[in-house]
Amino acid sequence: MGKKGKKEKKGRGAEKTAAKMEKKVSKRSRKEEEDLEALIAHFQTLDAKKTQIVETPCSPPSPRLNASLSAHPEKDELILFGGEYFNGQKTLLYNELYIYNIKKDTWTKVEIPNPPPRRCAHQAVVVPQGGGQLWIFGGEFASPDGEQFYHYKDLWVLHLATKTWEQVRSPGGPSGRSGHRMVAWKRQLILFGGFHESTRDYIYYNDVYAFNLDTFTWSKLSPSGTGPTPRSGCQMTVTPQGSIIIYGGYSKQRVKKDVDKGTQHSDMFLLKSEEGGEGRWVWTCINPSGAKPTPRSGFSVAVAPNHQTLLFGGVCDEEEEENLQGDFLNDLYFYDAAKNRWFSGQLKGPKSEKRKRRRGKKVEPQGADKQECGGASTWAPLEVVREVVAEDGTVVTIKQVLPAPRPAGRPQSDEEDGPDEADGATVEPSPRSNAMLAVKHGRLYLYGGMFEAGDRQVTLSDLYCLDLHKMEEWTALVEMDPETQEWLEETDSEEDSDAVEGAEGGGDDEDSGEESGEEDGEQHHPLVRPAEQFTDYLPRTEQYWVQLARDDAGPKVQEKTVLRVAHALAKAFFDGSA
């Protein structure tokens, strides 16, 4: 009795602490949210000028991430809404609505009066009622400089049959947030987690809410048992048995002043409605077997035709104080709730074992590894091996084969794959995070997302399709060359310029060299500079060449040998590209 009372008291103390933190975050963020409300109101004034529905055939949508992609419940269509894009200096938010016709392979932009304000990192759920409805909750809006955030707590429904937006106003709902997850369960929407961030503070949630689609009312659930810790970006899906699975996600906490530590969760929980208990739910921690995904964040989730949960990509972050590096992924995993088991999604297509996990030749997103250098006869594919420790202490080994790069502008040799061979053997989405997934008629559709190349963020607009019944190979429906994407270097202050120079060696000399190259009509990869622009090339790109040499030589080679190899690699590249 004493132990139980003590445990309950401890639980109430944790709730009070969370409530105080939320109040603190709310107070500090109120000012900046008031500033952003004026900007949001301006955009809404522009949207209010739209008085009729306009459907315009268009090219594929621009690059974006953290949008929503949903399958129409009755038609052969995919619905894309919202999202964000960052070009190095400015953050853009969208509230555009696009329809992709699967059979015709065409895009249509649909402008509907009184849409939700611009946002990203929201949640969208499709239900079949009334000819189909798309429900949207929350998300965030960011200032153009990406320094201030406004978190929505509004609920919207798009009536697909009539193409009309409606804001549903109901009290008692979740607080403003983004990165939450929401699913349709029977005739309710169940919402879990997310986060709220201001300039100085942030808070992550693990609360659960239900919205009744018949009465249009919110209720906060209080499940018994030990549930997940606060997090955002997790997997949330409904099992064939009617329970809800929560897997993984991301959260961070402040370890000391101005230093935060992120956690990539890899635990799994089952949220189950108790029989005979109206509104009574219970949490259970479960430990699935099989080939589990490596720890990651930013992964994308969809439900396969056999009710298995599909997980794609993401990023595995390696965090040190004031330093964050990410390994982006493009692997597939399936979770079978009936067996409580993970399976690796291996393709059966006409690919040799060596080519099975290699990505297409146009998209090479592994940070500085995206730099093009050497020829096929000189450079071999690199196998990068990293060990990551999961929350439960399990050591997971990540292996990734990087294709052999070649110098910018170098023609393809006869020994390399021709276009036909490449199309048949290497078509595959590049590693990425925060992509959009949807399943329709047993086919998985993947759109957009992002990866990082050094200090540069590359936002994607490509579209891929995979037949989940055959599991043979990906089909590229819309291709994109990341090297053509605009990227603007920060020019806010001399301090920012110094910081960039310290991290990437991008000082005034390099910037002026890049401008000179553009004036001459030459365009170069943002991470690659012609040899004539360098008098002392190694220090300027030392981080890249040393990493390339270390990956090539292996972990047991002495550091001085690695440096010699790095110097030789750099010299060979710049001599060869002069």
Side-chain angles (χ1 to χ4, degrees):
M1 189 71 181
K3 288 185 178 179
K4 183 179 179 182
K6 187 176 182 180
K7 188 177 291 186
E8 289 178 349
K9 187 176 180 181
K10 183 179 179 181
R12 288 194 296 270
E15 290 177 2
K16 287 181 180 179
T17 301
K20 287 181 181 179
M21 175 59 74
E22 184 169 359
K23 187 175 181 181
K24 182 180 178 183
V25 171
S26 177
K27 185 176 180 181
R28 290 185 174 181
S29 64
R30 193 174 301 142
K31 174 65 171 65
E32 64 185 64
E33 291 199 342
E34 286 175 356
D35 295 338
L36 292 181
E37 280 177 353
L39 186 57
I40 294 170
H42 168 70
F43 287 129
Q44 285 184 295
T45 301
L46 298 178
D47 289 332
K49 296 179 180 180
K50 302 172 184 176
T51 57
Q52 58 184 357
I53 301 171
V54 179
E55 300 185 36
T56 308
C58 62
S59 57
S62 59
R64 63 193 64 198
L65 68 149
N66 287 327
S68 58
L69 185 67
S70 310
H72 195 293
E74 296 181 355
K75 300 180 180 180
D76 294 329
E77 294 177 347
L78 303 179
I79 307 164
L80 179 71
F81 174 76
E84 64 176 309
Y85 171 75
F86 179 60
N87 66 2
Q89 291 184 0
K90 191 174 182 180
T91 299
L92 302 176
L93 278 297
Y94 304 108
N95 65 344
E96 301 166 328
L97 183 71
Y98 290 93
I99 303 294
Y100 175 69
N101 188 300
I102 295 173
K103 288 186 176 180
K104 296 180 180 179
D105 187 26
T106 57
W107 288 92
T108 302
K109 184 176 181 180
V110 184
E111 297 180 77
I112 301 174
N114 301 311
R118 305 175 183 211
R119 69 190 62 204
C120 67
H122 54 279
Q123 278 290 277
V125 172
V126 169
V127 295
Q129 286 97 304
Q133 297 173 343
L134 177 72
W135 288 85
I136 288 175
F137 177 83
E140 69 182 51
F141 178 87
S143 59
D145 61 5
E147 296 294 329
Q148 293 178 303
F149 303 95
Y150 181 91
H151 295 266
Y152 296 102
K153 57 179 179 180
D154 51 355
L155 180 66
W156 294 77
V157 57
L158 173 63
H159 300 280
L160 298 175
T162 58
K163 291 186 172 66
T164 54
W165 282 109
E166 176 189 357
Q167 183 174 4
V168 178
R169 303 180 188 275
S170 177
S175 57
R177 64 189 65 194
S178 58
H180 50 287
R181 292 297 178 257
M182 187 169 72
V183 296
W185 181 84
K186 296 184 178 180
R187 295 186 66 82
Q188 297 183 73
L189 301 177
I190 307 296
L191 184 146
F192 169 80
F195 74 99
H196 183 288
E197 183 174 12
S198 65
T199 304
R200 293 189 292 172
D201 294 298
Y202 54 82
I203 182 171
Y204 285 79
Y205 300 104
N206 63 346
D207 46 6
V208 186
Y209 284 83
F211 180 79
N212 190 301
L213 294 171
D214 294 321
T215 62
F216 280 22
T217 55
W218 283 105
S219 59
K220 185 174 183 179
L221 306 182
S222 300
S224 59
T226 302
T229 55
R231 65 192 63 193
S232 69
C234 59
Q235 166 191 319
M236 184 180 187
T237 50
V238 180
T239 71
Q241 297 77 27
S243 300
I244 295 174
I245 290 289
I246 299 291
Y247 166 76
Y250 177 84
S251 65
K252 62 182 180 181
Q253 59 183 1
R254 189 143 294 166
V255 292
K256 58 183 180 181
K257 185 177 181 180
D258 298 329
V259 177
D260 301 316
K261 180 175 177 58
T263 299
Q264 296 174 123
H265 301 280
S266 57
D267 46 3
M268 181 176 281
F269 293 84
L270 187 72
L271 179 61
K272 188 175 181 180
S273 177
E274 294 183 329
E275 295 182 9
E278 185 66 28
R280 294 176 60 185
W281 296 73
V282 59
W283 282 113
T284 306
C285 182
I286 58 177
N287 184 23
S289 60
K292 301 178 184 179
T294 54
R296 65 189 68 194
S297 60
F299 52 78
S300 305
V301 174
V303 178
N306 55 4
H307 300 292
Q308 292 183 351
T309 299
L310 181 152
L311 184 151
F312 171 85
V315 57
C316 177
D317 289 329
E318 298 176 4
E319 291 194 40
E320 298 177 2
E321 287 190 11
E322 300 182 4
N323 184 31
L324 177 64
Q325 292 183 336
D327 295 320
F328 290 82
L329 308 165
N330 64 345
D331 46 2
L332 275 172
Y333 287 89
F334 293 87
Y335 173 71
D336 189 326
K339 299 178 181 178
N340 191 27
R341 185 178 182 87
W342 282 102
F343 298 90
S344 177
Q346 298 294 332
L347 302 184
K348 311 172 193 173
K351 301 179 183 180
S352 67
E353 190 65 26
K354 291 181 180 179
R355 305 185 67 87
K356 191 175 283 187
R357 301 311 303 166
R358 288 173 61 181
R359 56 186 181 271
K361 62 181 182 179
K362 282 189 176 181
V363 188
E364 300 149 11
Q366 273 296 332
D369 298 329
K370 190 182 172 190
Q371 185 162 323
E372 299 176 338
C373 45
S377 59
T378 306
W379 299 80
L382 301 177
E383 184 181 71
V384 180
V385 181
R386 292 178 173 84
E387 289 187 348
V388 179
V389 180
E391 286 181 314
D392 58 3
T394 306
V395 178
V396 182
T397 301
I398 302 175
K399 292 185 179 181
Q400 186 171 17
V401 178
L402 305 183
R406 60 179 186 271
R410 183 186 177 115
Q412 193 174 28
S413 69
D414 295 337
E415 296 179 359
E416 294 181 84
D417 298 333
D420 294 339
E421 183 180 350
D423 288 343
T426 61
V427 174
E428 186 177 27
S430 62
R432 67 190 67 193
S433 70
N434 304 95
M436 285 62 73
L437 295 185
V439 174
K440 185 69 177 180
H441 296 318
R443 292 179 179 270
L444 171 67
Y445 293 88
L446 181 149
Y447 172 80
M450 61 83 72
F451 65 83
E452 294 172 350
D455 286 341
R456 179 187 180 195
Q457 174 179 306
V458 179
T459 308
L460 301 165
S461 61
D462 46 6
L463 177 65
Y464 286 84
C465 176
L466 175 66
D467 190 323
L468 296 174
H469 295 298
K470 298 179 180 179
M471 286 295 291
E472 290 180 351
E473 57 185 337
W474 288 94
T475 301
L477 302 176
V478 177
E479 294 185 278
M480 173 190 174
D481 184 357
E483 296 182 22
T484 63
Q485 187 171 107
E486 175 189 54
W487 182 256
L488 305 176
E489 297 294 339
E490 289 187 40
T491 57
D492 293 342
S493 65
E494 292 181 5
E495 189 174 311
D496 289 343
S497 301
D498 292 340
V500 172
E501 181 177 358
E504 276 296 318
D508 295 335
D509 294 340
E510 190 172 39
D511 290 339
S512 61
E514 183 175 1
E515 292 172 5
S516 174
E518 290 177 356
E519 290 174 2
D520 294 338
E522 297 179 9
Q523 292 186 349
H524 301 286
H525 189 288
L527 297 180
V528 178
R529 301 286 185 258
E532 58 267 22
Q533 293 186 15
F534 289 86
T535 55
D536 188 13
Y537 50 79
L538 186 57
R540 289 182 180 270
T541 57
E542 181 175 4
Q543 183 180 7
Y544 168 69
W545 295 111
V546 170
Q547 185 61 49
L548 189 64
R550 186 175 289 113
D551 292 341
D552 199 17
K556 296 183 179 179
V557 177
Q558 293 183 354
E559 192 66 20
K560 61 181 181 181
T561 304
V562 170
L563 291 174
R564 283 203 301 269
V565 174
H567 191 280
L569 290 174
K571 186 175 188 302
F573 167 66
F574 285 105
D575 288 349
S577 63

